[in-house]
Amino acid sequence: MNSISKKVGVLIFLSCPVTAIYAADNCTNTVDIDGKKHLTCTEVIYYYNPSEHGGLALANYDSVTINTTTAAKTSPLQGWGIYGNSSTYNFRDLSISTIGSASDGIITKNGKSIINIDNFTAITSGSSADGINIGRESSGSIVTINGNADVSTKN
């Protein structure tokens, strides 16, 4: 069975169970053979723009996976999984893996962020790398997990 892939404006034909691929901002979204939509990122999600991902909002993905491997810092913004900065994000299944000093799975800063997750998995590794960190700079930020949560941290 052939499938159609799209990456940065180039049409490619593959023999695999993926029916569509869109790539932007170090994130790739795919639709599997069952029609489920998945987003995989190798950098922090910060001010997510659906138009860079085939018009899909984060809540429209069956799963979102974020893998980062650098120490957290703000210039350039890197290391965290989700960086909430007066942001609102909604996820079905969210899986985050971070490796690096202070590389929290989710961090909120600067204003009120609202993050809603159906099911959450986080594996963080590094000095002061938390699964969820609602920073003291946040004002009224809320992270809600409606289903399963599995958080593992290693120093």
Side-chain angles (χ1 to χ4, degrees):
M1 169 181 206
N2 284 340
S3 57
I4 300 172
S5 298
K6 179 182 174 190
K7 184 169 184 170
V8 193
V10 177
L11 184 61
I12 305 167
F13 291 94
L14 300 172
S15 293
C16 66
V18 174
T19 57
I21 298 175
Y22 297 91
D25 63 19
N26 291 321
C27 293
T28 302
N29 72 13
T30 59
V31 179
D32 66 23
I33 199 158
D34 296 323
K36 292 186 177 183
K37 299 173 181 98
H38 309 281
L39 180 69
T40 303
C41 301
T42 57
E43 67 179 24
V44 61
I45 290 183
Y46 173 68
Y47 291 130
Y48 175 84
N49 184 353
S51 67
E52 295 177 353
H53 302 275
L56 288 176
L58 291 168
N60 292 340
Y61 289 100
D62 293 285
S63 70
V64 175
T65 303
I66 305 163
N67 300 301
T68 67
T69 57
T70 57
K73 65 180 187 176
T74 55
S75 185
L77 193 65
Q78 66 183 32
W80 297 287
I82 303 291
Y83 188 93
N85 185 6
S86 298
S87 310
T88 299
Y89 296 122
N90 297 295
F91 298 95
R92 290 183 188 175
D93 289 339
L94 175 61
S95 178
I96 298 174
S97 173
T98 66
I99 299 172
S101 177
S103 294
D104 303 325
I106 296 172
I107 188 166
T108 64
K109 292 189 172 209
N110 307 323
K112 182 178 182 178
S113 291
I114 306 295
I115 301 172
N116 298 301
I117 307 164
D118 288 343
N119 297 297
F120 179 57
T121 301
I123 300 171
T124 62
S125 178
S127 174
S128 190
D130 304 316
I132 300 173
N133 181 348
I134 298 179
R136 68 178 177 271
E137 308 89 347
S138 295
S139 176
S141 289
I142 299 171
V143 175
T144 303
I145 301 168
N146 298 307
N148 296 319
D150 184 8
V151 178
S152 172
T153 61
K154 298 182 228 176
N155 188 357

